[in-house]
Amino acid sequence: PERDKFARLTRKERLTVAEVARDAAAATRDIAARLHISEHTLRNHLSSIYAKLEVGGRLELFAWVARHGLEGLG
């Protein structure tokens, strides 16, 4: 069921998850730059991801990815 939640993410959301999983401590501006999107767009993606995966923030997202064996996403 948790992998089904991940499968419901859009391609851009999955790319965002991969970037956050790569470095949970990275600044928002750095992640946005790597994805070639604005910080505002990144925050929108993250809000949607948090709701779909039922996590409370970036650190919970990082833990969720590790817990479900999705570390090699990108």
Side-chain angles (χ1 to χ4, degrees), residues 7-67:
R8 285 190 288 252
L9 298 178
T10 67
R11 183 180 78 70
K12 289 182 180 183
E13 290 169 343
R14 286 192 299 270
L15 289 171
T16 301
V17 171
E19 282 301 319
V20 171
R22 198 172 93 170
D23 182 6
T28 301
R29 70 178 168 275
D30 296 334
I31 294 172
R34 288 195 300 252
L35 292 169
H36 306 287
I37 60 176
S38 71
E39 289 181 60
H40 180 77
T41 300
L42 175 60
R43 284 191 296 273
N44 287 341
H45 287 327
L46 289 172
S47 293
S48 178
I49 291 163
Y50 299 156
K52 289 178 181 180
L53 298 182
E54 300 174 357
V55 298
R58 282 180 38 189
L59 289 179
E60 280 187 45
L61 177 59
F62 186 83
W64 189 93
V65 167
R67 189 170 51 250

